[in-house]
Amino acid sequence: MKTTDISSPVAYATVPTPLTRFWRTFVPYQLLRFLVINVKMLRLIFKSHAPPPDTLPQKPRQ
């Protein structure tokens, strides 16, 4: 077994498991994650573009 210097960047690198490599290269999973991330971004954008609550029409009081 080789000894490596603990301060070198290689000492902190992790090797992905076969399952991790599979999910990273599995195109249907990548498309699903892409859609999920885009839907989250769109929700955030639509919330930020909503008019402020004080400018919304209010119901008359009875």
Side-chain angles (χ1 to χ4, degrees):
M1 183 176 217
K2 281 198 297 186
T3 58
T4 57
D5 183 15
I6 192 87
S7 63
S8 71
V10 177
Y12 298 107
T14 59
V15 178
T17 65
L19 185 62
T20 302
R21 286 187 305 186
F22 168 75
W23 286 117
R24 287 180 183 174
T25 58
F26 190 53
V27 176
Y29 178 73
Q30 292 176 0
L31 290 173
L32 177 68
R33 293 300 302 154
F34 179 78
L35 289 173
V36 168
I37 290 170
N38 280 314
V39 167
K40 286 181 180 182
M41 285 192 300
L42 285 174
R43 287 178 49 206
L44 185 69
I45 291 168
F46 286 135
K47 283 183 181 180
S48 70
H49 287 250
D54 58 344
T55 61
L56 295 176
Q58 303 210 354
K59 294 180 185 178
R61 294 186 182 187
Q62 293 179 354

